[in-house]
Amino acid sequence: MARAVEPLVVGGVIGNVLDPFVPSVQMTVTFNNKRVFNGHEFYPSAVVTKPRVEIEGGDMRTFFTLVMTDPDVPGPSDPYLREHLHWIVTDIPGTTDATFGREVVSYENPKPNIGIHRFVLVLFKQKRRQIIKSPSSRDHFDTRTFAAENDLGLPVAAVYFNAQRETAARRR
């Protein structure tokens, strides 16, 4: 499983967004039937609608929280708004996908303006069903603080993709 986090280290996700962790659950993220692999690029026009997030490794008594952020706002060279929150879903049953959870913060599609941005999807295993409050702002979100405040511990899975501003000629 150590190799599973290697791309997260190389991509700066572990360090900028997350502390080191050992993946213990399989999470598959797909946008329009295209699977997300660490570091792959997606056009913003391909990620307008929320992804399908499937979880393997739980049961009906296990619940998860999913968080999606952009740690590179407004741009990778000076990300002073780090992190920008794009989505939070809680109480996701362990044998289904995120559509069966409770959306705490609605999905906001990626719209990077400057440079190549990383979009990180992080999965936490909840200790129980719980009420998670919506953060007061999407900007200056901190995944580590959010996890600590909600007693979520370390992540159990994570994946990230890259996206950059799309010119009219590149749109598909």
Side-chain angles (χ1 to χ4, degrees):
M1 279 290 200
R3 281 207 318 232
V5 296
E6 204 170 283
L8 298 172
V9 172
V10 172
V13 172
I14 291 180
N16 293 150
V17 180
L18 304 173
D19 291 326
F21 71 98
V22 177
S24 58
V25 171
Q26 177 68 36
M27 176 175 67
T28 304
V29 178
T30 53
F31 285 97
N32 302 314
N33 296 319
K34 290 186 180 169
R35 184 170 175 184
V36 175
F37 292 99
N38 285 316
H40 285 203
E41 185 168 348
F42 279 79
Y43 292 120
S45 58
V47 295
V48 171
T49 58
K50 59 183 141 186
R52 179 175 176 84
V53 179
E54 297 174 90
I55 302 164
E56 296 174 34
D59 55 44
M60 289 307 285
R61 294 180 312 268
T62 309
F63 295 95
F64 296 93
T65 294
L66 175 74
V67 175
M68 179 177 165
T69 69
D70 174 356
D72 300 318
V73 176
S77 61
D78 185 20
Y80 64 86
L81 294 176
R82 174 178 292 162
E83 299 164 53
H84 183 79
L85 178 62
H86 281 269
W87 198 26
I88 296 178
V89 183
T90 66
D91 291 335
I92 304 166
T95 57
T96 60
D97 64 64
T99 58
F100 291 94
R102 187 174 67 84
E103 197 171 60
V104 174
V105 175
S106 62
Y107 180 76
E108 178 182 273
N109 60 307
K111 293 180 226 150
N113 286 323
I114 305 164
I116 298 171
H117 289 237
R118 297 165 294 166
F119 293 88
V120 183
L121 291 106
V122 185
L123 191 69
F124 296 95
K125 184 177 179 182
Q126 297 173 205
K127 293 181 170 76
R128 63 199 168 287
R129 274 186 176 256
Q130 62 193 84
I131 301 297
I132 290 179
K133 293 181 183 152
S134 179
S136 57
S137 170
R138 288 183 185 257
D139 286 328
H140 302 291
F141 181 80
D142 187 284
T143 300
R144 290 179 181 101
T145 301
F146 172 80
E149 288 173 349
N150 290 286
D151 196 26
L152 296 170
L154 289 173
V156 293
V159 66
Y160 81 99
F161 64 93
N162 296 318
Q164 60 185 309
R165 187 174 183 174
E166 193 170 1
T167 62
R170 286 179 57 198
R171 289 193 182 114
R172 296 180 184 189

